[in-house]
Amino acid sequence: MALAACAGSPTQTPGQGQSAPAATGATAGGTEVADAAVGKIYNPSDKKGGTLKMANTADWDSLDPGNTYYGYSLNFARLYGRALLMFKAAPGTDGNTLVPDLAESVGKASDDAKTWTYKLRKGVKFEDGTEVTSKDVAYAVARQFDKEIHPNGPTYLNALLDWPKGYKGAYKSKDADFSSAVETPDDQTIIFHLKEPFGLFDYIMQMPMTMPVPKDKDTGTKYQEHVISTGPYKFEKNEIGKGFTLVRNDQWDPATDPNRPALPDRIEVQTGVNADDVDNRLISGDVHIAVDGLGIGNAALPKVLPDPALKARTDNPVQQRTWYTSIIPDVAPLDNVECRRAIAFAADRNSLYRAYGGETGGVITTSLIPPSMAGYKPIDLYKSEGDKGDVEKAKAALAKCGQPNGFETNIAYRTERTKEKAAAESLQQSLARVGIKLTLKPYPQDDYFALYAGKPSYVKENKIGLAINGWGSDYPDTYGFMQAITDSRDIRDAGNYNLSVKIPEVDKMIDQIKAEPDAAKRADMWSQIDHMVIDQAVVMPSVASKALYMRGKGLTNLFISDSQQMYDYVGVGVQQ
Amino acid sequence: MTAFLDVKDLRIHFPTDDGLVRSVDGLTFSLERGKTLGIVGESGSGKSVTSLGILGLHKGGRARMSGEIWLDGEELIGASADHVRRLRGKKMAMIFQDPLSAMHPYYTVGDQIIEAYRIHHDVTKKVARKHAIDMLGRVGIPEPTSRVDDYPHQFSGGMRQRAMIAMALSCDPELLIADEPTTALDVTVQAQILDLMRDLQREFNSALIVITHDLGVVAELSDDILVMYGGKCVEYGAAETVFYDPEHPYTWGLLGSMPRLDRERTERLLPIKGSPPSLINVPPGCAFHPRCPYAERTEGRAETEVPELLKTSPGHLVRCHMAPEERRRLWESEIKPMLETT
Amino acid sequence: MVTYIIRRVIGALAMLLIVSIVTFAIFFLVPRLAGATPEAFAARYVGRGASMDTIRLVAERLGFYDPVAVQYGRFLKGIVAGTEYDTGAGVDHCPAPCFGYSFITQQPVWPNLMDRSRVTLSLGIGAAVLWLVGGVATGVLSALRRGSFFDRSAMGIALAGVSLPIFFTGMISLSIFSYGLGWTAPGGAWVDVTIDPLQWAYNLLLPWITLALLFAATYARLTRAGMLETMGEDYIRTARAKGLVERGVVVKHGLRAALTPIVTVFGLDFGLLMGGAVLTESTFSLNGLGKYAVDAIKNNDLPAVMGVTLLAALFVVVANLVVDLLYAVVDPRVRLA
């Protein structure tokens, strides 16, 4: 497959347009070119002014930097908050680079990678003019510890730092000393103490949990109503559930911030907008960007794809997200590796590729790690002609498994997701060729992991042998992608995303990776893990996901960065 | 010199999908002020259609009307709809049967009388209200000042009919048409209403047409009686003539099925068998012949030839193929004794 | 009359209680009976990859470890007496009627409902005026010109209006009139009437028309049928016999009677609509009760679901009562006892 081969090089983005230099990309009123914001800057500009209009089909989990985890929120929060570090606002892989934001430089790790020290820039102020100190960052970290009040945010810091015994966060342990975890020897310095070595700590530090929060302005669950800005924009008006407006923060000093061009004067965001309406408004130019980063909806696809003028306004990047099927060894006869391999052999990958939307939906992949991440290698264990599946090898595997005539099992998928339904049906058909009979089991997506496919007792009781699954990374490091779905020690009673990978060697290697400072060696170990998982046939990857984004009209300086996996909201501007 | 009301060869036909309905087919009669005409017939005989035709209520509808209607020297069929509307309620008024459905349930009795009055009189509501109370008093409604604000459903049947009469008389009409004015009422109330109408007619000196299926009602009230069958007049004459010396077998039937105050109605002596004819496919020949017990006495003409309305004695017209002598003999020897013995 | 109203109000309260119990049971009891643990409940209200500790904390905070009856009692108490909410940084007092705090946004539900009912009310009133005027006028004309070209085409359009889903007509009309021709406001446009009445009307024009089309069709058909029936009544003949002009006959006598069932249907429709014009609000991205309800259900936001369900039920119950009272005014034959 040409597509798979193309995606094989992580530095190269798939699709056409490589020859067009970034500087001469589509300009105002000029011709639009598809993928003009993939790997390069669309309509580069440094002109300030104008109002950027964004629409969200849903709503933020929270605007509170200590209580948010949605991908687009992490991207967007950088407009009103400054974490210690941030991903560079740059197109393509360049956007994977961590650059200092509130900090002067990236973290200085101790030799054992257990102590991380950051120095804050001078002259950074909150929107009320107060100077930001390291205590504000420490407070932000301590307040987000309280997951009863802030349940949405990532739990990395709770797990990684060496918190005092019985510590309950900034609210319940108000005056407790938590210097064993976070230390602020002076107003510009902050030191994090980890329980175990963790070489990727900088990746955590770019998340909004480290955006400073002034203690006297913290209103707990109500802080989201008025977040105190440190970024180039502050909240003018915020109606939760409806939308909000950002205006320039006059206390933001560009001299302290080399990362943000801060082009628009004003950013208006409407939330809870009908998804079809968002697409229509993108097309008409009434809205600039769909902030949720989900891409064009099914209703608008038939309108956009066949129309060259509209297609030219789309970007179709490969994402750091893999759609796959979990093959669950808890359910007989899938406890036998040969039976699992039989499935991997028999599956028609081409049909699955079409189920996930074909060309604009993704590229066929044979590994779990997405093509643009370190450690990615194509894995050719189950090759077949035209990717249509190898019936003979599947039958041979079945014979080895002691099930020469096949067997029956169930396949779970999320009811609301038509592509997953199509994938399950595709498997049902292709596996029937070797006598494996699948019964389709749709479950509501909200409870898919909490009550059904992610709950081992339910899976065993109901003999869910296969489950359609998919995963995207939190941050563009393979650890952030792989750990949550391959480390068997994190499997709990319910709410698991790792449904099938329980390989002790994998767990062991993950520990080694954590302590390994050499990125190349880490990448190599991830490749080995990926290979083990595929060889054991507990995961069967289908496609590396591609998104299809639509550019509104009149945008400048627009690009998709690999770190954000969508348009970068720090860089973008509008024409006037 | 024409009469106050002069109807000549009135035809009212309704085109329908099934064919032409000849509801009224060549009707001629006249009426003077102070006199009463009773139009009698079964339902579907065309009597109600006739009255609505005189009032001009078919205008603008699907009906095809021809002939002449002269009212006080003015021809109405050719007159404009709006002109006839102005006469309606003022010069000619109508009392409908079943006042519960004929009066609007959502307006008070007073409001409905006031409305009727104010259409034709440019007066204030207050004046009209006083007039309404006055009218209610005149038709014998006790405490009219308070009852004027009652709704029709709060009145008894008899009271409602009185109110209906008050409404019709509110503009002092010269022609009053009462369509089955007592049908919905019980027997004692019927008598009261009939008395009231007679008194009022005398008082107002209006021409009155009473439409009914009940010969008994018109016998008491009318000067003339016109018997209708199948859209045509079958017998027409002075009330005592038609009542005491009827010559048409249909009239005999009506007399036989007449309810009488002096006797319990247990059975009909001369029941008219069958049902009224379809007005689309009127039977050939005499329209009554399928139901007529004497049809065979016409030497076959009953089935083929439409009988003429002929004068049988001065002021007495009958539409029948039987010879006048034969009819009188049958009445005297067979029908009359039977009606009297029981 | 007073006893009648008191009796109806008591009945309405009982009705609301039942609605609340049923709703509560559907969202809290049924999943439990199906085997959902408190943690499984709580897992919906935490971020991705949350630890079991986080889930337990949230389950504790949201009271999922208590028996369902206790949870329901707490909910009722909040409505009657108000409640207190721990924001972490302090305590927020939520005065009665307190429908609790959203599990998702942690915002108190009641102010949200009040705020959004303004949108729904604005949408409903404007649409109601349009559909009443349009529907009734069309129905009357159709009835008077029964079988005419006007009648046939009006009834054809009415049928289409009833059958076409709003998310279809709404989307198409947005595409054409807002994004194509630029005549009307884009989806989601909203200004409160107290701020700028003209802009308010302009923003809502398209939703009004779209929603009104749906209802106008029903009302046109209803009016037509009603008019055909009443225009054949004896009292219409009486009115004509009085010499009343035809317009007076139609309006004062015909329409007056034909409107009675329309008042009933209108009251119930409007009450139902006040609970949220779900499709219209979703299609036009209007932040009314209907969209609130959809979002609440989509997000399993139980306090929000409870709140909006009860408010919608309240509107329906009130509409029923008003219709019954109005009926006595409209039709003097009706006696309330």
Side-chain angles (χ1 to χ4, degrees), chain A residues 428-501:
Chain A
Q428 191 182 36
Q429 280 177 22
S430 56
L431 297 195
R433 297 183 297 187
V434 296
I436 301 172
K437 277 190 207 120
L438 294 185
T439 306
L440 303 184
K441 296 274 181 191
Y443 296 107
Q445 63 177 2
D446 283 342
D447 296 327
Y448 192 67
F449 294 108
L451 299 183
Y452 306 109
K455 188 176 176 188
S457 59
Y458 184 91
V459 166
K460 280 178 210 163
E461 238 168 76
N462 293 278
K463 303 210 180 326
I464 310 287
L466 304 179
I468 303 288
N469 206 342
W471 188 248
S473 70
D474 281 359
Y475 50 90
D477 181 88
T478 316
Y479 183 89
F481 181 87
M482 287 289 272
Q483 192 272 337
I485 53 170
T486 54
D487 192 332
S488 74
R489 294 161 299 185
D490 281 359
I491 293 180
R492 45 183 198 244
D493 296 345
N496 297 298
Y497 302 102
N498 176 8
L499 312 181
S500 57
V501 185

Side-chain angles (χ1 to χ4, degrees), chain C residues 135-158:
Chain C
V136 169
T138 310
V140 169
L141 285 178
S142 266
L144 295 182
R145 298 182 192 163
R146 184 184 188 179
S148 68
F149 176 73
F150 174 85
D151 179 27
R152 278 167 224 246
S153 39
M155 287 306 113
I157 293 170

